[in-house]
Amino acid sequence: MSAPTTLPQLNHTVVYAHDPQLSAEFLAAVLGLSVGARFGPFLPLDLGNGVTLDYYEKRDEPIQSAHYAFLVADDQFDTMIGRLEKLGVTYYADPSHTEPGRVNDLFGGRGAYFDDPDGHNMEIMTRPYGRP
């Protein structure tokens, strides 16, 4: 069997939510995207790079918080921060949420963290993290 010619790519991931419509619309509003049409039990949010977040209802169980990081265009970052402020959502410079109302300047870019309606730790950043 020959080796694949390209590396595997993430296609989708499931995001558990008590109210998938609310959570998908929240993130879509922050990122300036549109929620897709329901696909079976999933409500997709297309990120535009071939990856979807598929929101899935998990009503009767606690939801384990997860972290989702979004690489965004530098010229859209301030707009997204403005959307968070308009929604009354506190953003933070750090993943532990100890620096409210501030952004970071990691790797020569800007970044911020915020919670979605189910407590998932969302991040917007304008530069990818440097990796060794």
Side-chain angles (χ1 to χ4, degrees):
M1 176 177 246
S2 63
T5 57
T6 60
L7 295 174
Q9 297 179 1
L10 182 64
N11 177 268
H12 68 275
T13 191
V14 172
V15 179
Y16 293 112
H18 289 116
D19 183 339
Q21 191 75 43
L22 174 73
S23 294
E25 287 178 1
F26 167 79
L27 188 58
V30 172
L31 298 179
L33 301 172
S34 298
V35 176
R38 188 167 288 282
F39 179 71
F42 303 106
L43 188 61
L45 182 60
D46 185 349
L47 299 177
N49 62 344
V51 177
T52 60
L53 299 181
D54 291 342
Y55 281 85
Y56 183 80
E57 184 174 348
K58 190 172 183 183
R59 188 167 298 278
D60 298 328
E61 298 176 43
I63 293 175
Q64 178 68 41
S65 176
H67 174 67
Y68 300 90
F70 304 94
L71 185 60
V72 302
D74 193 61
D75 64 353
Q76 291 296 308
F77 185 84
D78 290 330
T79 300
M80 292 176 189
I81 291 294
R83 290 175 183 146
L84 289 167
E85 290 172 343
K86 186 175 181 180
L87 291 168
V89 175
T90 303
Y91 56 90
Y92 304 85
D94 63 310
S96 298
H97 294 193
T98 63
E99 300 178 58
R102 297 182 54 204
V103 300
N104 65 54
D105 59 359
L106 297 174
F107 305 103
R110 295 181 294 158
Y113 298 82
F114 57 95
D115 282 339
D116 84 340
D118 290 290
H120 295 298
N121 191 9
M122 302 298 190
E123 178 183 6
I124 53 175
M125 58 186 184
T126 62
R127 299 285 184 278
Y129 289 170
R131 306 231 187 252

